[in-house]
Amino acid sequence: MSIDFSLFDYVQEGVVVLDRAGKVRFWNQVMVEWTAKTAAEVVGLDIALQAPRLGEERYRNRMVAALDQMAPITFSAAIHHHLIPCPFFSEGLKAYRLQDTMMCPVSKGEERLLVLSVVDRTDHMANIIGLMQANARLERSVRLRRESDRVNTMLAAGMDNAAEAILVVDHKGRIEYANNMFYRMAQSVSPTVRNQLLRELLTVDQGELLQQEIAEAIASGEIWRGRVVVRRPDGSRFPASGSAAPVRLRKGRKVSHAVLILNDITDYEMANHDLQARKKHEAMLTMVAGISHDFNNLLSGMVGNTYLLRKSVRNDDKASRRLNTVEESLAEATAIIQNLMIYARGEEMVQGVLPLAPFIKEWSKEVQGILPESVALHLEIDQDYFPFRVDVSLFQQALMAVADNAMDAVVDMDDPQISIVFRRADEGMLPAQLSEDACVLLTVSDNGCGIFEADMAQVCDPFFSTKQIGSGLGLSVARASIEQHRGVLHIDSTEGVGTKVSILLPLAR
Amino acid sequence: MILNERCRDVIQELFNIGAGRAASTLNDFVQQRVFLQVPEVFLCDDRDQAIAWVEKTLDDQKLAIVQMAFQGDMEGRTSLAFSRKSAQLLASILSGNDCNKPDAELNAVGESVLVEVGNVLMNGVMGTLGNMLNMKICYQVPQFLHHNVELMVAEENASFLMARAKMTVAELEMEGVILVLFALHSHDHFLSAVERLAASK
């Protein structure tokens, strides 16, 4: 008696019954719908005609094993996709139903048959794949967000630790962010400058105007570059060069913020100022050298002619007296010109190596000889050899100028004292330009009236003098001379306390 | 359940033959080199002992289980259990779908892949046991279950035959447990058959 499978026509799954040889014994209505093949077209024929894969040995072996063992077998849609091709006829695409297939052996007497239950998993799989794709998109979005967060963290750390001061201000000029360097540069005691207006940080005369200038540049989408003076909380100021660039939080949107980058240029401006001063000084030296040479030549002619004139007016007392006055003036003018020539380095140095200690000792004796008795002179001279390459005349002139200043400073004091100390210089006190050489230090100190603080910057300028008499060339010539000997002359003075002139000199190698 | 060393060796050998057949079948279908081995079998009548053995082997409370009941000369059910992580990994490799990541929930695609793998492996092992021990066994349809260890080994009055299944796919190693759970009246029959086979060798 054959088995009646017609009840399978009423189930919602595809059902196919195969015999051991793979011939179709039953083909239900769902399979008819899915394949457009009627049962009459299929039953009795090998299933491989409808489903070529089920003709393959690997599938056939499993089917036979299932029948032998009476063990059901399953085929996953994820691995096999579909075993019996069931196309979507309404679709233009060549697409097939994804199927989970289960093969259950049944037996009736000696006969064993395989019931194939085919479940359409297309929608199910599509949903799962959709979910998986959505999940993948979500993961990608999370990954991008994390990457973006990482970049933002890195940028924030970079800005916080940048070597320039960075400020972010909104369109009203209100500060929203300031990095560490800004706080360091501004020496801000306030924990934050957030919400402060930018103009409050700039100097009063700049604030409004500059903020407006920056705002205009940024509004037009341009980068502003310029110099600002920033006011510190303690009232001090520092110059800064900077730029302000517009920030659009999103492409195509209005400029909402600006990022300001500031560099403290105090050192640069000081160096620049020094450079300008040095250039001016060099120009002046050139001019002084030229003029003093010309005047020296003229004076030589005048001295010579005065000498000849004296012979001519030998018997004229009145003329001789006047000639004396002329000669005194000429001698004074010659001395000034000689000093100017030294100052302007117009004089060639005549150098030789001498032991410096005996030289200083002789000079100090000379100083002692011209000091008024009321002035106490304290000497402390290291007697070591100290070889020194020196132009004796120039150097002596420089030292005498320093001594003259000390004497002039103490002359009206109650207990006038001058101290001369000469010794090997300590390592730590050497300026950079003398670091390679062993140096000696000569200091001339007095307890005189001292130098006004306002005059300190000018005391070594030529023709600057606070005295009633004198050319104003003493210290300027002394410094020029010391510098020509590769030394450094430094003056410390406190008004009403005294002055100390320190001369560092490099020893000959 | 008392089992001598020789019978234990026979059972382990039968499991390995079955696993070998299953691996060969899987190789044909998933186009991956699948290697299956059963390095250890364990038998007991005590449920707590069985639970402890599964926990030690899989080190995970939540398991992915494929289960198939059987009847005939023996009655009971066979289960293949993986830790959740191994199940994800296996499903992901065999379906070629990297959305089944080890840290994600196992979805229906992964479940259907595991059902097929479990079906192949359990058919291989049980088919070999049935053939070699000359026992007639019929099986029910395999099912996928999310269970913990205690639910997997729920029966109080049963004998437990367990084996550690070591599976290597695409050079990744996973461990699972094959549990054959016999109704009490079945295990004498099973042991007698094993002893007969052992004696015949």
Side-chain angles (χ1 to χ4, degrees):
Chain A
M1 191 179 92
S2 63
I3 305 169
D4 181 11
F5 294 107
S6 58
L7 276 176
F8 287 140
D9 275 333
Y10 299 97
V11 299
Q12 298 300 308
E13 297 168 0
V15 177
V16 178
V17 179
L18 303 177
D19 65 16
R20 194 176 187 85
K23 286 199 169 50
V24 178
R25 297 283 289 271
F26 179 76
W27 189 258
N28 82 338
Q29 279 303 314
V30 172
M31 291 307 295
V32 173
E33 276 174 41
W34 285 356
T35 60
K37 296 275 172 86
T38 62
E41 288 177 280
V42 175
V43 171
L45 300 176
D46 195 314
I47 187 65
L49 295 171
Q50 309 306 324
R53 288 168 80 185
L54 291 181
E56 290 174 20
E57 195 180 352
R58 55 185 178 151
Y59 286 95
R60 206 44 85 85
N61 287 345
R62 251 184 111 180
M63 288 155 68
V64 169
L67 286 170
D68 288 343
Q69 291 178 21
M70 290 302 284
I73 51 177
T74 61
F75 293 93
S76 160
I79 296 174
H80 306 274
H81 308 301
H82 53 79
L83 293 183
I84 303 172
C86 300
F88 290 101
F89 295 108
S90 57
E91 304 288 332
L93 295 169
K94 191 181 177 185
Y96 296 93
R97 283 179 171 79
L98 293 167
Q99 304 156 3
D100 273 347
T101 306
M102 184 170 293
M103 299 186 183
C104 294
V106 293
S107 64
K108 182 76 176 176
E110 287 302 308
E111 187 175 31
R112 288 184 179 182
L113 297 171
L114 208 50
V115 179
L116 277 67
S117 152
V118 183
V119 182
D120 182 359
R121 292 290 189 194
T122 311
D123 290 345
H124 187 67
M125 293 283 282
N127 285 341
I128 288 168
I129 289 166
L131 277 174
M132 288 192 301
Q133 286 170 343
N135 188 44
R137 280 197 298 274
L138 188 65
E139 279 186 2
R140 185 166 172 272
S141 151
V142 169
R143 200 168 55 244
L144 288 174
R145 180 65 183 269
R146 279 185 188 152
E147 178 61 17
S148 162
D149 286 350
R150 195 184 69 80
V151 169
N152 285 345
T153 307
M154 196 171 66
L155 277 175
M159 282 172 74
D160 271 345
N161 297 301
E164 291 84 17
I166 300 174
L167 294 167
V168 177
V169 297
D170 68 10
H171 65 288
K172 290 179 180 170
R174 199 172 290 281
I175 296 168
E176 289 199 359
Y177 167 82
N179 73 343
N180 292 335
M181 180 50 87
F182 177 79
Y183 287 104
R184 209 176 308 154
M185 216 180 258
Q187 296 169 4
S188 178
V189 286
S190 165
T192 179
V193 289
R194 203 168 169 205
N195 290 330
Q196 220 174 315
L197 285 169
L198 179 62
R199 65 167 178 263
E200 291 169 6
L201 292 177
L202 306 177
T203 53
V204 180
D205 51 338
Q206 274 186 316
E208 292 287 349
L209 201 64
L210 197 63
Q211 183 160 317
Q212 194 180 340
E213 191 186 317
I214 293 171
E216 279 170 11
I218 288 167
S220 61
E222 288 173 5
I223 294 174
W224 172 91
R225 285 191 176 85
R227 177 183 179 278
V228 294
V229 177
V230 182
R231 191 171 46 210
R232 293 191 175 106
D234 64 359
S236 63
R237 299 165 181 196
F238 69 93
S241 72
S243 66
V247 175
R248 289 179 174 86
L249 290 184
R250 282 189 188 158
K251 202 175 177 185
R253 297 283 292 271
K254 278 186 176 177
V255 173
S256 60
H257 291 76
V259 56
L260 268 84
I261 299 177
L262 299 174
N263 262 314
D264 184 347
I265 53 171
T266 309
D267 290 346
Y268 168 77
E269 289 201 345
M270 278 175 70
N272 199 35
H273 181 266
D274 286 351
L275 182 67
Q276 294 304 325
R278 204 170 299 134
K279 280 183 177 172
K280 199 170 153 188
H281 186 65
E282 292 289 337
M284 192 179 73
L285 288 178
T286 308
M287 186 184 75
V288 168
I291 291 173
S292 53
H293 270 288
D294 287 350
F295 268 76
N296 196 37
N297 291 340
L298 293 172
L299 283 172
S300 299
M302 289 168 77
V303 168
N305 281 306
T306 309
Y307 176 76
L308 294 174
L309 189 59
R310 181 172 288 285
K311 285 186 175 175
S312 307
V313 296
R314 196 180 302 156
N315 300 320
D316 186 340
D317 288 344
K318 196 175 176 183
S320 291
R321 276 198 304 278
R322 286 184 176 161
L323 212 49
N324 285 343
T325 309
V326 170
E327 280 178 336
E328 282 169 14
S329 296
L330 278 174
E332 204 171 320
T334 303
I336 290 172
I337 290 299
Q338 289 296 325
N339 278 337
L340 280 176
M341 287 173 73
I342 293 167
Y343 174 73
R345 300 172 199 169
E347 283 288 285
E348 286 296 320
M349 285 178 69
V350 182
Q351 290 188 335
V353 176
L354 291 178
L356 200 48
F359 187 95
I360 297 296
K361 200 173 174 185
E362 284 307 310
W363 164 72
S364 60
K365 278 182 188 170
E366 203 174 323
V367 171
Q368 199 158 26
I370 58 171
L371 271 181
E373 281 186 7
S374 59
V375 180
L377 178 67
H378 169 72
L379 293 175
E380 190 182 320
I381 297 170
D382 188 335
Q383 294 297 333
D384 211 343
Y385 181 67
F386 299 134
F388 180 56
R389 185 172 294 283
V390 64
D391 181 318
V392 175
S393 167
L394 272 181
F395 191 60
Q396 197 167 26
Q397 197 170 356
L399 296 189
M400 284 313 295
V402 173
D404 280 346
N405 267 321
M407 279 189 287
D408 290 344
V410 298
V411 73
D412 293 329
M413 306 307 290
D414 289 340
D415 178 24
Q417 292 178 23
I418 291 176
S419 167
I420 295 174
V421 178
F422 175 70
R423 61 181 170 82
R424 185 179 292 277
D426 296 331
E427 193 83 9
M429 65 198 308
L430 300 180
Q433 66 265 36
L434 296 181
S435 59
E436 291 178 7
D437 302 298
C439 284
V440 285
L441 175 69
L442 172 68
T443 57
V444 179
S445 314
D446 66 65
N447 64 344
C449 54
I451 303 168
F452 291 113
E453 197 180 339
D455 294 336
M456 278 296 291
Q458 296 165 282
V459 289
C460 287
D461 284 355
F463 303 116
F464 177 84
S465 178
T466 56
K467 301 173 202 165
Q468 302 246 330
I469 53 166
S471 63
L473 283 169
L475 280 179
S476 57
V477 169
R479 171 174 276 183
S481 170
I482 296 302
E483 285 177 358
Q484 284 176 65
H485 285 86
R486 295 176 53 234
V488 173
L489 183 145
H490 179 74
I491 302 172
D492 286 311
S493 185
T494 308
E495 198 184 328
V497 176
T499 301
K500 178 178 172 183
V501 178
S502 304
I503 300 169
L504 270 166
L505 297 165
L507 294 177
R509 290 180 181 177
Chain B
M1 188 186 286
I2 299 162
L3 203 64
N4 61 35
E5 198 64 30
R6 190 166 173 173
C7 288
R8 184 192 301 272
D9 287 348
V10 166
I11 294 171
Q12 185 160 336
E13 184 62 24
L14 293 177
F15 268 74
N16 264 322
I17 292 168
R21 286 180 182 167
S24 165
T25 306
L26 284 173
N27 276 334
D28 281 349
F29 285 95
V30 298
Q31 295 174 336
Q32 296 271 11
R33 186 159 179 78
V34 181
F35 181 70
L36 264 166
Q37 201 186 5
V38 179
E40 187 184 0
V41 293
F42 177 72
L43 296 98
C44 71
D45 294 327
D46 185 274
R47 180 173 172 261
D48 291 339
Q49 259 189 307
I51 289 171
W53 192 88
V54 175
E55 281 179 341
K56 189 186 93 181
T57 307
L58 295 182
D59 195 26
D60 197 343
Q61 279 294 311
K62 290 183 182 174
L63 305 177
I65 301 164
V66 182
Q67 202 167 71
M68 227 167 68
F70 59 85
Q71 293 165 317
D73 291 343
M74 291 193 297
E75 270 183 45
R77 56 191 165 87
T78 311
S79 307
L80 173 66
F82 285 104
S83 69
R84 199 169 39 173
K85 193 175 172 185
S86 290
Q88 290 285 8
L89 195 58
L90 185 61
S92 153
I93 296 168
L94 294 185
S95 65
N97 188 347
D98 63 0
C99 289
N100 273 308
K101 288 175 186 160
D103 55 348
E105 284 296 317
L106 194 69
N107 60 35
V109 175
E111 288 177 12
S112 73
V113 171
L114 284 180
V115 167
E116 184 167 343
V117 172
N119 179 229
V120 170
L121 185 52
M122 289 186 292
N123 279 358
V125 170
M126 293 306 288
T128 304
L129 286 180
N131 284 343
M132 301 296 281
L133 300 178
N134 203 18
M135 300 174 91
K136 284 184 182 170
I137 311 168
C138 290
Y139 305 91
Q140 288 180 8
V141 176
Q143 300 174 43
F144 184 87
L145 303 167
H146 284 291
H147 271 354
N148 59 26
V149 181
E150 302 220 345
L151 279 174
M152 180 188 172
V153 188
E155 287 81 351
E156 292 287 347
N157 300 313
S159 299
F160 305 95
L161 168 60
M162 288 170 286
R164 186 151 62 90
K166 202 169 166 186
M167 183 176 258
T168 311
V169 187
E171 295 177 4
L172 292 169
E173 222 171 68
M174 284 145 284
E175 285 207 323
V177 165
I178 304 168
L179 172 79
V180 184
L181 194 142
F182 299 105
L184 270 182
H185 66 267
S186 293
H187 82 250
D188 286 343
H189 198 170
F190 171 71
L191 286 181
S192 307
V194 171
E195 276 168 7
R196 273 200 304 278
L197 182 64
S200 70
K201 287 202 169 189

